[in-house]
Amino acid sequence: MIGKNRIQMGKVLRWILLPLLIVTAHAVEITTVLSESTTSVGRPIQFQIQIQGTSSADVPDNFAVDGLDIRFENRGINMQFDNFKLSKAVIYTFSVIPERAGNFSIPSLSVTVDGKVYKTEAQKFKVVTGALPAPSRGQSQSQQPPPIAQLLQQQMQQFQQQMQQQMQQVPGLPQSQTQRPSVPQSQVPPTQIPALDKLAYAELIIPDRKAFVGQTIPVEIRFYFDSRFRVEIVSQLGFGGEGFTAEKLSEPAEKNQVIDGVPFNVYTFKTAITPIKAGSLNIPPAQLKCVVTLPSNNPPPDDFFGGLFGQMGGMGEQREINVLSNSVDLEVKNLPKEGKPAGFSGAIGRFTLDAEASPKRAASGEPITLKLTLEGQGNFNAITEPALQNKEGWRIYPGITDFTPSDATGFGGRKTFESMLMALEAKTATPAAEFSYFDPTAEKYVTLNTAPIAIEAQAGKSPANSAPTPSASGVPADSVTPEPVASASPEHSDGASVLPTYRTASFQSVFHRKEFWIANLAAGVAFLALMAYLISVRVASGASARAAQVRRQRKKLLVEMEARGLDALAFASKGTESLEARFGSVLPEELRVAGLSDDEIQVLEPMITLHAESKYGLGRSIAELSPERRSEILTLLKQWEAKV
Amino acid sequence: MKIRLFLMAWLLGAAMSAHAASDFDTANEQFGSGRYEEAARGYHLALDKGIQAAEVYYNLGLAETKAGKVAEASLSFQRALTLNPALEPARRELLALSAKFNIEIPEATWVNRLASAIPRESWWIGGAVVAWLGAFIILGGLFARARRGTILIVGVIIFIFGKAALGLAWTSDPLIQNQDLVVLVADGPNRLRSAPVDNSETIASLAGGSTVALLSERGKWAYCASLDGKRGWVERSGLQPVIPRKPETPNAANAG
């Protein structure tokens, strides 16, 4: 019955208190706390300024009290109910080291929050000489709740646990950040909080303490965080120093590990360093800044709200800590000069070398791909292509290099070099490859060699040997030769002789010579001239054709006019048509303009008049055309026609 | 008066040509006796006197190779091949140098090989003649009274052939295509840098004698592209154009 009432009460409280908390979240309240009221000379105590309702404030970080050495230690932020943003507090912690015995007072300080100045309460404490007296039972429990309050607090904790369970069962209610599984919330009582350097620490792991200049050394950096506390990483991992170069850090690998019964989250970063000078080399510690949320150092108030906050998981103190790893000292030596191979190019590590060639048969001019594979661990960045031996008679084209790392740092991996080889003379084997490196473990140089690979490669085309020869594939070599390549070896200029004669030439292309353009201009002009001529001929031939047609028409009319029995009207019609074809008009003025004399016009006039009367006189003809006049007209027309 | 001047100029030219020919012969003798440095100087003298010939550049390249001047030899062989792409000994020597010293040289394409089968002048002149012939036949076809279609088709085909020959001449003529090519002749490694600054990052390091394309120039720097497409800055003092530039006239030099 009691439990049921508590559950009901919890529900009521939840809906009543939360809005109240939201409303009161922004009220600024400043309190000062001393960790102890009595201490001894040289024994430090903590002085805190706790400012509720804000996360930033302007607090004097350097204030002096005679006889006390006061130093600012850190600034922490307390957040409760992050999702609701209900309450926040900032805590400034100072260490106070008494320099002499006596009664001391830390004076009131001015704190500015959002432009408003607040005054803190002064705190008094006592400093004694020598060791502190053993705390009495009462004193030892001065920080503990009194027995009655302790009983009430236990009851309240039970009640709050039940209330919290009910809250988690309400759908839609956002859970506080502290309840997320990925963010472990401290279940450690404040009195059992380990030291910060035990709560979060780091290791810098380098397998060997001896190294050589240019050697790539794998490095592992492990960060351990007590998984019972919430930790937020607030900076990039800092790692680096003088005297060496470091590769880019890998993404951290995360794992859980129990150490001495304490669960830890372990984050492992990997990188590789390369010393660049000989001598003692100190690899400085890696560092990472993080904020760890600790249960509040201050016991929750012995009241209902203190218990409520303490159990709802929001109360905690955030401390920013700088997690530092150990440093490592290396002894770096220069590579020995003794036994250094001629082809050594700086490779340090342990490697294997393999070679393969394809195709195994190549026609004349067909390239062969030689693939060299270098595998192992070492400074791949500094590794260059293995040298080819006995490459006379080959033309070697620049190759392609590819690197496939086998780990996150590129310390191990496989590097391939692909080169195209073209035989300048008939070949039965590829060049051998040679690669030298320094083994830092054995401290000696090692030279790897690959055996020549058996192939059949036909020679390229040579002026002295230009007859087509059957290739391996049965195709005449000339037909697959991509370019005329001589069969001589690269050293063949030893036997080359100078040319005794020469023929002058010019570095000016025909395209850029003016003679070329003058010739083209001339051709263009001729083209245009010919085109103009042809067009004019075409036009002229059209006009003359039309004139001949008119002439033929006039002759036809003349013949018809001479026909016997032709009546006068028909004669006049044809004669007028003939005149119009010749002069374009039959009007006397127009004929006169065309050059006809008055006598000629007078001869023609009766015919023109008769035609006009027959055409416009409604069948009534007045003019007459005698045979004599018809004869005169015919004569005149014939004379003109004869002139044409 | 004009005739006298012409005769004097002709005689002077003939005398210089004879003198240059003498330098060439002398250089050949020096080469034969193993005095390669002197031979190279002799070929340079002949070139300076106006003998522009692929054979002279080839002989010069041989002498420079013997004298250990690999970069200069690469330049000379490339100039010889520019003047005469069919000069097979020069190609052979250049390939040998390239293989031995990892020198990057332009690859001969099928267009180059096809064009080198016929002298490039023939491509230019023959192409122009055939193209004009086609044009005239087309014109005749337009005004023909009979078989107009046949004549036009024949004319168009001939015209296209002519233009194709001109296009081939353009794409294969080294004197056109090599205009922007320069050869790295500086002593030591020829570095393509990311910026026109002495201590800027090295993009690529090329062997002396390698060919790059000149893209632009800025002060003492030239922006170049290697044959595999890498672009960077090189000091101009270490570059020599494959096609020699005409010596600047005093006026031009002053203007520049």
Side-chain angles (χ1 to χ4, degrees), chain B residues 26-42:
Chain B
T26 306
N28 277 356
E29 289 170 9
Q30 288 166 337
F31 185 95
S33 58
R35 291 177 288 163
Y36 303 119
E37 293 271 5
E38 293 176 39
R41 281 196 293 273

PDB file of all heavy atoms in Angstrom, chain B residues 26-42:
ATOM      1  N   THR B  26      84.949  19.256 -92.151  1.00  0.00           N
ATOM      2  CA  THR B  26      85.985  19.269 -91.120  1.00  0.00           C
ATOM      3  C   THR B  26      85.483  18.588 -89.840  1.00  0.00           C
ATOM      4  O   THR B  26      86.193  17.799 -89.199  1.00  0.00           O
ATOM      5  CB  THR B  26      86.398  20.721 -90.810  1.00  0.00           C
ATOM      6  OG1 THR B  26      86.775  21.344 -92.031  1.00  0.00           O
ATOM      7  CG2 THR B  26      87.549  20.766 -89.824  1.00  0.00           C
ATOM      8  N   ALA B  27      84.232  18.920 -89.494  1.00  0.00           N
ATOM      9  CA  ALA B  27      83.652  18.314 -88.285  1.00  0.00           C
ATOM     10  C   ALA B  27      83.552  16.804 -88.442  1.00  0.00           C
ATOM     11  O   ALA B  27      83.796  16.054 -87.484  1.00  0.00           O
ATOM     12  CB  ALA B  27      82.278  18.921 -88.012  1.00  0.00           C
ATOM     13  N   ASN B  28      83.200  16.351 -89.629  1.00  0.00           N
ATOM     14  CA  ASN B  28      83.129  14.907 -89.860  1.00  0.00           C
ATOM     15  C   ASN B  28      84.494  14.263 -89.662  1.00  0.00           C
ATOM     16  O   ASN B  28      84.616  13.179 -89.075  1.00  0.00           O
ATOM     17  CB  ASN B  28      82.633  14.634 -91.280  1.00  0.00           C
ATOM     18  CG  ASN B  28      81.105  14.692 -91.355  1.00  0.00           C
ATOM     19  OD1 ASN B  28      80.446  14.852 -90.346  1.00  0.00           O
ATOM     20  ND2 ASN B  28      80.572  14.569 -92.556  1.00  0.00           N
ATOM     21  N   GLU B  29      85.537  14.955 -90.142  1.00  0.00           N
ATOM     22  CA  GLU B  29      86.888  14.410 -89.964  1.00  0.00           C
ATOM     23  C   GLU B  29      87.259  14.366 -88.478  1.00  0.00           C
ATOM     24  O   GLU B  29      87.852  13.397 -87.993  1.00  0.00           O
ATOM     25  CB  GLU B  29      87.898  15.271 -90.736  1.00  0.00           C
ATOM     26  CG  GLU B  29      87.792  15.112 -92.243  1.00  0.00           C
ATOM     27  CD  GLU B  29      88.632  16.155 -92.972  1.00  0.00           C
ATOM     28  OE1 GLU B  29      89.407  16.869 -92.305  1.00  0.00           O
ATOM     29  OE2 GLU B  29      88.483  16.244 -94.218  1.00  0.00           O
ATOM     30  N   GLN B  30      86.893  15.437 -87.763  1.00  0.00           N
ATOM     31  CA  GLN B  30      87.197  15.457 -86.324  1.00  0.00           C
ATOM     32  C   GLN B  30      86.446  14.341 -85.594  1.00  0.00           C
ATOM     33  O   GLN B  30      86.982  13.713 -84.676  1.00  0.00           O
ATOM     34  CB  GLN B  30      86.814  16.823 -85.739  1.00  0.00           C
ATOM     35  CG  GLN B  30      87.759  17.931 -86.185  1.00  0.00           C
ATOM     36  CD  GLN B  30      87.200  19.313 -85.906  1.00  0.00           C
ATOM     37  OE1 GLN B  30      85.983  19.471 -85.788  1.00  0.00           O
ATOM     38  NE2 GLN B  30      88.077  20.296 -85.832  1.00  0.00           N
ATOM     39  N   PHE B  31      85.239  14.095 -86.002  1.00  0.00           N
ATOM     40  CA  PHE B  31      84.468  13.003 -85.386  1.00  0.00           C
ATOM     41  C   PHE B  31      85.180  11.674 -85.648  1.00  0.00           C
ATOM     42  O   PHE B  31      85.322  10.839 -84.756  1.00  0.00           O
ATOM     43  CB  PHE B  31      83.055  12.981 -85.958  1.00  0.00           C
ATOM     44  CG  PHE B  31      82.157  11.969 -85.306  1.00  0.00           C
ATOM     45  CD1 PHE B  31      81.317  12.334 -84.256  1.00  0.00           C
ATOM     46  CD2 PHE B  31      82.138  10.646 -85.720  1.00  0.00           C
ATOM     47  CE1 PHE B  31      80.498  11.409 -83.648  1.00  0.00           C
ATOM     48  CE2 PHE B  31      81.325   9.709 -85.114  1.00  0.00           C
ATOM     49  CZ  PHE B  31      80.493  10.088 -84.078  1.00  0.00           C
ATOM     50  N   GLY B  32      85.628  11.516 -86.897  1.00  0.00           N
ATOM     51  CA  GLY B  32      86.289  10.270 -87.256  1.00  0.00           C
ATOM     52  C   GLY B  32      87.555  10.033 -86.471  1.00  0.00           C
ATOM     53  O   GLY B  32      87.923   8.886 -86.193  1.00  0.00           O
ATOM     54  N   SER B  33      88.198  11.143 -86.080  1.00  0.00           N
ATOM     55  CA  SER B  33      89.441  10.990 -85.322  1.00  0.00           C
ATOM     56  C   SER B  33      89.197  11.022 -83.815  1.00  0.00           C
ATOM     57  O   SER B  33      90.140  11.118 -83.036  1.00  0.00           O
ATOM     58  CB  SER B  33      90.429  12.088 -85.716  1.00  0.00           C
ATOM     59  OG  SER B  33      89.856  13.353 -85.473  1.00  0.00           O
ATOM     60  N   GLY B  34      87.929  10.982 -83.424  1.00  0.00           N
ATOM     61  CA  GLY B  34      87.623  10.882 -81.996  1.00  0.00           C
ATOM     62  C   GLY B  34      87.587  12.203 -81.262  1.00  0.00           C
ATOM     63  O   GLY B  34      87.465  12.229 -80.047  1.00  0.00           O
ATOM     64  N   ARG B  35      87.703  13.321 -81.962  1.00  0.00           N
ATOM     65  CA  ARG B  35      87.656  14.632 -81.287  1.00  0.00           C
ATOM     66  C   ARG B  35      86.205  15.130 -81.328  1.00  0.00           C
ATOM     67  O   ARG B  35      85.830  15.972 -82.139  1.00  0.00           O
ATOM     68  CB  ARG B  35      88.600  15.600 -81.988  1.00  0.00           C
ATOM     69  CG  ARG B  35      90.080  15.242 -81.794  1.00  0.00           C
ATOM     70  CD  ARG B  35      90.978  16.160 -82.561  1.00  0.00           C
ATOM     71  NE  ARG B  35      90.897  15.895 -84.005  1.00  0.00           N
ATOM     72  CZ  ARG B  35      91.310  16.745 -84.945  1.00  0.00           C
ATOM     73  NH1 ARG B  35      91.794  17.911 -84.611  1.00  0.00           N
ATOM     74  NH2 ARG B  35      91.212  16.421 -86.216  1.00  0.00           N
ATOM     75  N   TYR B  36      85.424  14.566 -80.421  1.00  0.00           N
ATOM     76  CA  TYR B  36      83.979  14.787 -80.485  1.00  0.00           C
ATOM     77  C   TYR B  36      83.583  16.208 -80.089  1.00  0.00           C
ATOM     78  O   TYR B  36      82.653  16.778 -80.659  1.00  0.00           O
ATOM     79  CB  TYR B  36      83.270  13.760 -79.591  1.00  0.00           C
ATOM     80  CG  TYR B  36      83.604  12.333 -79.976  1.00  0.00           C
ATOM     81  CD1 TYR B  36      84.232  11.478 -79.087  1.00  0.00           C
ATOM     82  CD2 TYR B  36      83.294  11.857 -81.252  1.00  0.00           C
ATOM     83  CE1 TYR B  36      84.557  10.183 -79.441  1.00  0.00           C
ATOM     84  CE2 TYR B  36      83.618  10.548 -81.613  1.00  0.00           C
ATOM     85  CZ  TYR B  36      84.248   9.720 -80.699  1.00  0.00           C
ATOM     86  OH  TYR B  36      84.558   8.447 -81.069  1.00  0.00           O
ATOM     87  N   GLU B  37      84.266  16.748 -79.079  1.00  0.00           N
ATOM     88  CA  GLU B  37      83.934  18.115 -78.673  1.00  0.00           C
ATOM     89  C   GLU B  37      84.173  19.078 -79.835  1.00  0.00           C
ATOM     90  O   GLU B  37      83.340  19.937 -80.129  1.00  0.00           O
ATOM     91  CB  GLU B  37      84.803  18.521 -77.474  1.00  0.00           C
ATOM     92  CG  GLU B  37      84.508  17.764 -76.196  1.00  0.00           C
ATOM     93  CD  GLU B  37      83.438  18.451 -75.375  1.00  0.00           C
ATOM     94  OE1 GLU B  37      82.877  19.442 -75.852  1.00  0.00           O
ATOM     95  OE2 GLU B  37      83.137  17.953 -74.276  1.00  0.00           O
ATOM     96  N   GLU B  38      85.320  18.917 -80.508  1.00  0.00           N
ATOM     97  CA  GLU B  38      85.630  19.802 -81.636  1.00  0.00           C
ATOM     98  C   GLU B  38      84.638  19.563 -82.768  1.00  0.00           C
ATOM     99  O   GLU B  38      84.204  20.512 -83.440  1.00  0.00           O
ATOM    100  CB  GLU B  38      87.056  19.544 -82.127  1.00  0.00           C
ATOM    101  CG  GLU B  38      88.121  19.942 -81.122  1.00  0.00           C
ATOM    102  CD  GLU B  38      89.525  19.578 -81.603  1.00  0.00           C
ATOM    103  OE1 GLU B  38      89.795  19.736 -82.808  1.00  0.00           O
ATOM    104  OE2 GLU B  38      90.321  19.114 -80.770  1.00  0.00           O
ATOM    105  N   ALA B  39      84.295  18.314 -82.980  1.00  0.00           N
ATOM    106  CA  ALA B  39      83.331  18.003 -84.033  1.00  0.00           C
ATOM    107  C   ALA B  39      81.993  18.686 -83.753  1.00  0.00           C
ATOM    108  O   ALA B  39      81.367  19.275 -84.652  1.00  0.00           O
ATOM    109  CB  ALA B  39      83.139  16.496 -84.137  1.00  0.00           C
ATOM    110  N   ALA B  40      81.579  18.635 -82.495  1.00  0.00           N
ATOM    111  CA  ALA B  40      80.308  19.275 -82.145  1.00  0.00           C
ATOM    112  C   ALA B  40      80.375  20.764 -82.422  1.00  0.00           C
ATOM    113  O   ALA B  40      79.422  21.356 -82.952  1.00  0.00           O
ATOM    114  CB  ALA B  40      79.987  19.012 -80.672  1.00  0.00           C
ATOM    115  N   ARG B  41      81.507  21.374 -82.082  1.00  0.00           N
ATOM    116  CA  ARG B  41      81.640  22.810 -82.362  1.00  0.00           C
ATOM    117  C   ARG B  41      81.593  23.071 -83.857  1.00  0.00           C
ATOM    118  O   ARG B  41      81.005  24.048 -84.324  1.00  0.00           O
ATOM    119  CB  ARG B  41      82.947  23.340 -81.762  1.00  0.00           C
ATOM    120  CG  ARG B  41      82.859  23.603 -80.265  1.00  0.00           C
ATOM    121  CD  ARG B  41      84.018  24.482 -79.799  1.00  0.00           C
ATOM    122  NE  ARG B  41      85.296  23.773 -79.909  1.00  0.00           N
ATOM    123  CZ  ARG B  41      85.793  22.984 -78.945  1.00  0.00           C
ATOM    124  NH1 ARG B  41      85.122  22.817 -77.833  1.00  0.00           N
ATOM    125  NH2 ARG B  41      86.951  22.382 -79.096  1.00  0.00           N
ATOM    126  N   GLY B  42      82.210  22.184 -84.635  1.00  0.00           N
ATOM    127  CA  GLY B  42      82.191  22.339 -86.092  1.00  0.00           C
ATOM    128  C   GLY B  42      80.780  22.248 -86.661  1.00  0.00           C
ATOM    129  O   GLY B  42      80.407  23.046 -87.532  1.00  0.00           O
TER     130      GLY B  42
END
